[in-house]
Amino acid sequence: MKKFLLFIMLAVVFTSCGPQIYTAASFQEAKVKHKTVAIVPFDVIIESRKLPKGVTVEMIQQQQKDYGYGLQSDAYGYYLRQMSKDLYTVNFQDVTKTNALLADAGITYENLNSTSRDLICKILGVDAIVSGKATMSKPMSDGAAIAVGLLIGAWGSTNSINTSITIHEGERGDLLWKYDYAASGSVGSNRQSLSNALMKNSSKKFPYNKKS
């Protein structure tokens, strides 16, 4: 299978709708007990009406998986930088350890979302988990450039990116917090651009922030 390399990434400008935020009434009580939180790979869906020539469904599925792990790593890196500033009330489990524990328990990227959150917390030995979802809608032409291992390039102005970050507690797996964020990307949108926008916006309301 021929692989295409994407050589040019242009600057990104995101326009977004106001975020939708849910916080459970029990969060403040649970927050006091939480010491360690894990971040699991994001659930990524890339929607397209038509695949470019030479691109298969399997290639898109692999990109979704790579992108999901990439967003997990980006989120972890962001939270670490915030922790270094003593901004959070919790510590975050290293994502390498998280992924190794999931693999040892037979939990793969494909069955992660069908596994109960309380079971995942037990496997990881944490008090809560942060998870995320990104659904990207973009029309593709036959000439669209694809770089295997990178996000599909050449975004159009009509593309939409719906993302969310959630926190589930460990005892019962209940949803404690959810942040929904919608954005549209200009030409050249990439994973780092999306994660930067998502984390920058969600961090203002992140409930483990000491100012929350």
Side-chain angles (χ1 to χ4, degrees):
M1 180 64 64
K2 184 178 180 180
K3 297 181 179 181
F4 299 87
L5 295 178
L6 182 61
F7 289 102
I8 300 177
M9 285 288 186
L10 300 179
V12 179
V13 176
F14 281 99
T15 59
S16 62
C17 301
Q20 301 294 317
I21 304 171
Y22 163 79
T23 304
S26 59
F27 187 86
Q28 289 302 320
E29 180 181 353
K31 177 181 178 180
V32 177
K33 304 175 183 178
H34 293 179
K35 303 300 180 184
T36 305
V37 176
I39 308 164
V40 298
F42 279 44
D43 178 27
V44 176
I45 300 173
I46 300 175
E47 298 177 338
S48 177
R49 297 175 184 176
K50 184 179 180 181
L51 293 179
K53 184 178 179 180
V55 177
T56 66
V57 172
E58 289 74 20
M59 291 169 68
I60 297 298
Q61 290 174 340
Q62 184 60 48
Q63 282 199 316
Q64 290 176 156
K65 182 177 180 179
D66 293 345
Y67 204 75
Y69 281 104
L71 285 172
Q72 176 199 26
S73 179
D74 292 343
Y76 177 60
Y78 183 89
Y79 290 141
L80 279 186
R81 290 192 294 273
Q82 298 302 96
M83 282 175 56
S84 68
K85 302 175 185 178
D86 195 30
L87 296 180
Y88 292 149
T89 60
V90 296
N91 292 313
F92 292 89
Q93 185 177 81
D94 188 288
V95 292
T96 302
K97 179 179 180 179
T98 296
N99 293 340
L101 290 171
L102 290 175
D104 288 344
I107 298 178
T108 66
Y109 183 80
E110 288 72 24
N111 65 25
L112 177 63
N113 288 318
S114 61
T115 305
S116 64
R117 284 347 197 194
D118 55 326
L119 177 57
I120 293 175
C121 284
K122 183 178 180 180
I123 291 170
L124 299 178
V126 296
D127 302 305
I129 60 170
V130 173
S131 58
K133 183 174 183 178
T135 302
M136 308 169 190
S137 301
K138 69 185 301 302
M140 291 185 193
S141 66
D142 287 344
I146 302 295
V148 175
L150 298 176
L151 173 64
I152 297 172
W155 290 91
S157 60
T158 59
N159 296 326
S160 64
I161 308 171
N162 296 310
T163 60
S164 64
I165 294 180
T166 57
I167 297 174
H168 289 79
E169 60 91 23
E171 293 184 5
R172 295 179 301 276
D174 294 338
L175 175 65
L176 293 179
W177 184 77
K178 188 172 187 285
Y179 182 97
D180 293 313
Y181 178 76
S184 62
S186 64
V187 175
S189 298
N190 56 32
R191 192 197 80 215
Q192 195 64 54
S193 301
L194 173 59
S195 62
N196 285 344
L198 176 61
M199 300 310 297
K200 180 179 179 180
N201 284 275
S202 66
S203 66
K204 300 173 183 177
K205 299 294 182 180
F206 194 59
Y208 289 121
N209 193 310
K210 289 182 178 180
K211 296 180 180 180
S212 299

